[in-house]
Amino acid sequence: MAAVLEIEGLAKTYRSRRRGTRRALDGFDMRVEAGQVHGFLGPNGSGKTTTLRTLLGLIRPNGGRMAILGQEVPAALPTVVGQVGAIVESPQFFPHFSAQDTLSLLAGAGGVPQQRVAEVLELVGLRERAKDRVKTYSLGMKQRLAVASALLKEPKLLILDEPANGLDPGGIREMRTLMSDLAASGMTVVISSHILAEVQLICDSVTIISLGRRVAFGPVAQVLAQHSGGGLRVRLEAVTDLPAAADLLLRSGARVTPQDDHLLVYEVDKPATVTRTLAAANLFVSELAPVTVDLESVFLQLTATAPVPGQHRQVDQSAVVDGTSSSSSDSISGGWGV
Amino acid sequence: MSLFNTELRRLRKRRFVRYLTLGGLLVLAAVAVGMFFTNQKVGPAQIAAAERAADREYQQNLGYMRQEQAACEQAKATGNADVGRFPPDCSSIQPPPREAFQTDWHLPATFEFREEFGSTLIALTAVLGLVAFVGGASFIGAEWSTGGMMNLLLWRPQRIRVLLTKLGALLSALSGLTVVTIGAWTAAFWATGTYRGSTEGMTSGAWQSFGLTGLRGLALVLIAGALGFGLASLGRHTALALGGVLGVMVVGQFGLGVVLGMARVKFVEAWLFPTYLLAWMQKKVTLQNWASCQATYNGECKPATFDITWQNSSILLSVALVLVLGGAIWSMRRRDVT
Ligand SMILES: Nc1ncnc2c1ncn2[C@@H]1O[C@H](COP(=O)(O)OP(=O)(O)O)[C@@H](O)[C@H]1O
Ligand SMILES: [Mg+2]
């Protein structure tokens, strides 16, 4: 499948006279396939917005390469930008214009037919308030307007930076439906977020970033499986057979954690090995299932941002991964696979 | 073209720009109307009345002097306490000659189109120049500070082109406004001349001269607009452009004037910016240094003079324009948009 978005070794260091330098991106890689809904996850300040800004030509990287729809950016940005709808960071609009005017001016600047304005306003549910000044909008309404502005040019690639920010539960669900509809229509969607339950529900694949580096990527199921440690939950017909089974599996090279009524088995090459080993000793498996984890625990584990009792974690305290696994260009083929 | 038209539309939609323009035009209208009603035609009746008034003033003075003379003589004769008030010789108390009471002084104000229209063009330029400066600064400054610029760049990533198109839209709107206003202004003062003064002596040469003054006024309005625009774009905030110029004007100019005056620098005005604006409009400003003596053949002193010509001003204005716009373009090219 063709990559709609490719980023390799992206580096960005912010320099300011007052606060010195800050390395926001440190050899970051990312790849999004066509037609996916891709989650871009990371703790606050990990570099998500910086990545998106760089991709869209708003800031200048210090190194690395990027391509959108197969064309190198920022060089080809003027030609591809018509196919990329984006919102970056919290939505900002001129407060004294109405939503209608704001979108109409954008459509004018981008050469999009004006009737598209009414369509997107309808789509994001702002039809009735379109004539009100943006100043009078709630955060969620501004967010909807931002999504409308991104959809205005009927993009092939839609990039949304924290789109669920400020939305009510109904709004979040509508957004979710909208995203799946858009993806079904063939649009590729990249959503940066830290609301993980959300991402798990709608994303096909994810990239997890921490301190400016990629720490995990791939289809959601794969990332989850990788970080469940490939663990299996094994139940037997008779609970009394558990110690014997544990013994057998240990001797076959697996790592076993006995629980009250089942075993957690790690480091086996495939589930069939477990069945075969136990069956050979006349022990029969009544349940064999992969240990499931949710994206949130994977995220907390990978970025090392799980709360520790008695400590107040500071924003820049996240995982530092060793450079070899993610900062070089060969990491596309390594890691958790694409 | 779509971007240019959109920017013109944006400029028209801006409430602040509308109010500012309206305010400027109201001030100009007030001046024009005021000039109409404070001037009147001078005919034989007005001249006769003025002569009568001058004569009356002479007679009053004459009467007063006679009274004083009588009092002086009486004081001398009686030797009373008032004697110190009078000169030693009472006959030296004489009224001024009749010619000293000029008829002109008692003529009502009358509008001599040929003599006075030129300076009203300077007033017009001052008002429109201020509108252009503040409007230009607000047009781009508010875009920057509200994130509108960032949104636009997501649609049109060619930054320099976006900046220059905005500037072009601003300047063409200013040109339109200035040309129309100068037209209306000329008509209004022509009417004032016709009904409340005279329009005599308007040869084609005189018209040409006014035409050139009008053109220089237009140029100054455009320069003011471009400078406001450039400063606000450099600072990415409206307030900064205005604050910057206020700082320069008030602290710089006033302070500089005081300091140079105390240092007894010759031709202090040559260091002050407004002098150059005036020179630009009048073609020449002649400064005089009263603390000097240029001997003349008849033994009088004349002050030394120093001419500031419109060519001097044009150099200053070009340098300011190049620095500010060049800086704005450079910063647009180099700086990150965050
Ligand atoms: N304009 C800026 N100047 C200096 N540092 C910045 C700027 N923008 C972001 N940063 C820093 O870069 C890091 C990444 O920020 P950002 O990309 O906004 O994070 P995220 O969107 O993932 O929350 C943070 O440490 C932030 O403080
Ligand atoms: Mg962010």
Side-chain angles (χ1 to χ4, degrees):
Chain A
M1 233 200 251
V4 165
L5 171 58
E6 284 174 281
I7 296 176
E8 278 174 28
L10 193 64
K12 172 68 190 178
T13 305
Y14 287 109
R15 288 169 207 287
S16 79
R17 234 166 290 119
R18 241 172 307 147
R19 284 153 296 163
T21 62
R22 170 170 289 278
R23 187 175 286 205
L25 290 176
D26 187 10
F28 177 71
D29 303 306
M30 183 169 178
R31 187 181 162 92
V32 178
E33 309 287 335
Q36 284 185 340
V37 178
H38 190 94
F40 184 19
L41 312 176
N44 298 138
S46 55
K48 302 182 294 294
T49 301
T50 303
T51 305
L52 300 181
R53 281 210 168 106
T54 314
L55 190 68
L56 295 163
L58 295 176
I59 63 183
R60 192 180 278 267
N62 301 105
R65 64 166 280 268
M66 302 171 285
I68 295 177
L69 298 161
Q71 308 217 42
E72 295 291 315
V73 290
L77 205 53
T79 51
V80 295
V81 81
Q83 298 171 311
V84 183
I87 56 171
V88 179
E89 198 114 84
S90 52
Q92 293 178 314
F93 296 101
F94 188 69
H96 302 290
F97 283 169
S98 66
Q100 171 88 46
D101 286 344
T102 305
L103 293 180
S104 157
L105 286 170
L106 279 178
V112 168
Q114 292 291 331
Q115 75 259 22
R116 181 82 189 130
V117 172
E119 287 170 27
V120 290
L121 282 170
E122 176 72 40
L123 205 58
V124 299
L126 280 179
R127 180 180 8 99
E128 318 244 293
R129 300 290 301 270
K131 297 242 164 18
D132 293 2
R133 285 196 286 158
V134 172
K135 205 174 135 176
T136 66
Y137 283 12
S138 70
L139 177 59
M141 289 165 69
K142 285 184 196 154
Q143 197 77 52
R144 285 165 192 256
L145 176 57
V147 173
S149 78
L151 288 175
L152 204 52
K153 36 185 163 174
E154 300 188 83
K156 288 212 176 94
L157 171 62
L158 180 65
I159 296 176
L160 304 174
D161 195 4
E162 319 244 358
N165 240 356
L167 289 187
D168 49 21
I172 292 185
R173 187 167 291 186
E174 284 164 29
M175 182 76 73
R176 194 156 70 211
T177 320
L178 183 61
M179 298 299 120
S180 355
D181 291 352
L182 293 173
S185 76
M187 199 182 287
T188 309
V189 185
V190 175
I191 306 174
S192 108
S193 184
H194 50 244
I195 306 180
L196 296 150
E198 216 19 68
V199 170
Q200 195 166 0
L201 277 174
I202 57 174
C203 290
D204 305 312
S205 57
V206 292
T207 296
I208 301 182
I209 182 175
S210 176
L211 286 178
R213 290 182 185 184
R214 178 167 68 177
V215 291
F217 65 100
V220 175
Q222 219 171 56
V223 170
L224 292 178
Q226 284 297 336
H227 294 278
S228 63
L232 294 168
R233 189 169 52 242
V234 179
R235 263 182 236 278
L236 298 183
E237 285 180 331
V239 181
T240 47
D241 291 336
L242 281 177
D247 201 41
L248 266 174
L249 290 169
L250 269 174
R251 262 186 282 137
S252 76
R255 193 159 54 79
V256 181
T257 317
Q259 305 282 317
D260 284 352
D261 59 345
H262 64 275
L263 301 175
L264 291 178
V265 184
Y266 299 94
E267 293 164 27
V268 284
D269 54 352
K270 51 184 187 288
T273 315
V274 175
T275 346
R276 200 176 315 120
T277 313
L278 296 181
N282 275 336
L283 297 171
F284 296 103
V285 172
S286 68
E287 185 191 333
L288 182 67
V291 174
T292 55
V293 289
D294 59 1
L295 204 48
E296 183 167 298
S297 33
V298 173
F299 177 87
L300 292 175
Q301 176 203 334
L302 280 171
T303 60
T305 52
V308 178
Q311 273 188 28
H312 299 281
R313 190 181 62 84
Q314 303 301 303
V315 281
D316 285 336
Q317 266 173 265
S318 342
V320 186
V321 289
D322 54 306
T324 51
S325 73
S326 71
S327 66
S328 59
S329 54
D330 65 6
S331 64
I332 292 291
S333 53
W336 289 277
V338 171
Chain B
M1 205 55 199
S2 65
L3 185 58
F4 181 82
N5 287 335
T6 305
E7 290 309 321
L8 272 184
R9 197 148 69 89
R10 189 195 309 278
L11 185 63
R12 271 204 311 274
K13 273 185 186 293
R14 286 286 307 278
R15 239 173 13 142
F16 179 76
V17 170
R18 283 191 200 173
Y19 287 161
L20 183 73
T21 312
L22 190 68
L25 293 180
L26 282 179
V27 168
L28 291 176
V31 171
V33 170
M35 287 293 272
F36 188 87
F37 286 109
T38 52
N39 281 290
Q40 35 178 297
K41 249 194 164 21
V42 173
Q46 278 83 5
I47 293 175
E51 246 156 35
R52 276 199 302 280
D55 205 46
R56 198 160 50 240
E57 203 178 8
Y58 172 68
Q59 295 301 340
Q60 270 171 8
N61 273 277
L62 197 63
Y64 177 66
M65 286 302 151
R66 294 238 170 86
Q67 237 175 358
E68 288 291 290
Q69 218 168 19
C72 173
E73 262 147 24
Q74 199 187 357
K76 287 270 152 70
T78 57
N80 75 9
D82 275 353
V83 78
R85 230 181 78 203
F86 298 105
D89 179 6
C90 286
S91 66
S92 73
I93 300 180
Q94 285 295 330
R98 172 63 183 85
E99 308 87 76
F101 295 86
Q102 291 177 28
T103 313
D104 283 9
W105 297 349
H106 300 277
L107 282 176
T110 184
F111 190 77
E112 300 272 357
F113 192 86
R114 191 193 162 121
E115 300 303 315
E116 294 171 62
F117 184 60
S119 44
T120 70
L121 278 177
I122 296 179
L124 173 87
T125 305
V127 172
L128 288 184
L130 195 65
V131 167
F133 183 83
V134 176
S138 151
F139 179 49
I140 186 89
E143 278 291 273
W144 275 118
S145 59
T146 60
M149 189 60 142
M150 191 190 82
N151 265 327
L152 187 57
L153 289 176
L154 292 180
W155 286 70
R156 304 293 295 242
Q158 304 98 324
R159 294 194 192 178
I160 307 295
R161 190 156 150 210
V162 167
L163 189 76
L164 293 184
T165 307
K166 276 183 185 289
L167 179 61
L170 173 74
L171 295 187
S172 54
L174 282 175
S175 305
L177 175 73
T178 309
V179 168
V180 169
T181 312
I182 288 183
W185 189 253
T186 310
F189 280 92
W190 186 257
T192 306
T194 307
Y195 298 108
R196 303 288 173 137
S198 96
T199 55
E200 271 164 36
M202 283 311 295
T203 57
S204 71
W207 277 117
Q208 202 178 8
S209 159
F210 286 156
L212 288 176
T213 308
L215 274 183
R216 285 199 304 276
L218 172 63
L220 200 56
V221 170
L222 296 185
I223 290 171
L227 286 179
F229 181 91
L231 284 173
S233 186
L234 262 177
R236 299 193 174 178
H237 211 288
T238 313
L240 194 119
L242 302 181
V245 135
L246 276 185
V248 168
M249 290 301 251
V250 176
V251 179
Q253 300 289 290
F254 186 74
L256 191 67
V258 169
V259 168
L260 293 178
M262 288 197 307
R264 293 177 169 252
V265 169
K266 291 179 184 134
F267 306 119
V268 171
E269 294 93 331
W271 297 94
L272 304 184
F273 192 60
T275 312
Y276 288 85
L277 297 183
L278 197 61
W280 171 259
M281 289 305 290
Q282 292 181 338
K283 293 208 282 202
K284 190 163 95 176
V285 167
T286 301
L287 305 178
Q288 294 177 324
N289 178 17
W290 293 100
S292 68
C293 180
Q294 307 270 296
T296 58
Y297 295 137
N298 55 19
E300 271 180 285
C301 273
K302 287 238 158 125
T305 60
F306 181 75
D307 285 346
I308 291 177
T309 62
W310 66 273
Q311 286 97 333
N312 298 143
S313 306
S314 72
I315 292 172
L316 188 73
L317 291 174
S318 312
V319 169
L321 210 53
V322 166
L323 283 183
V324 169
L325 280 187
I329 289 173
W330 182 84
S331 121
M332 185 72 177
R333 206 190 166 79
R334 299 290 311 171
R335 269 172 66 186
D336 289 346
V337 181
T338 57

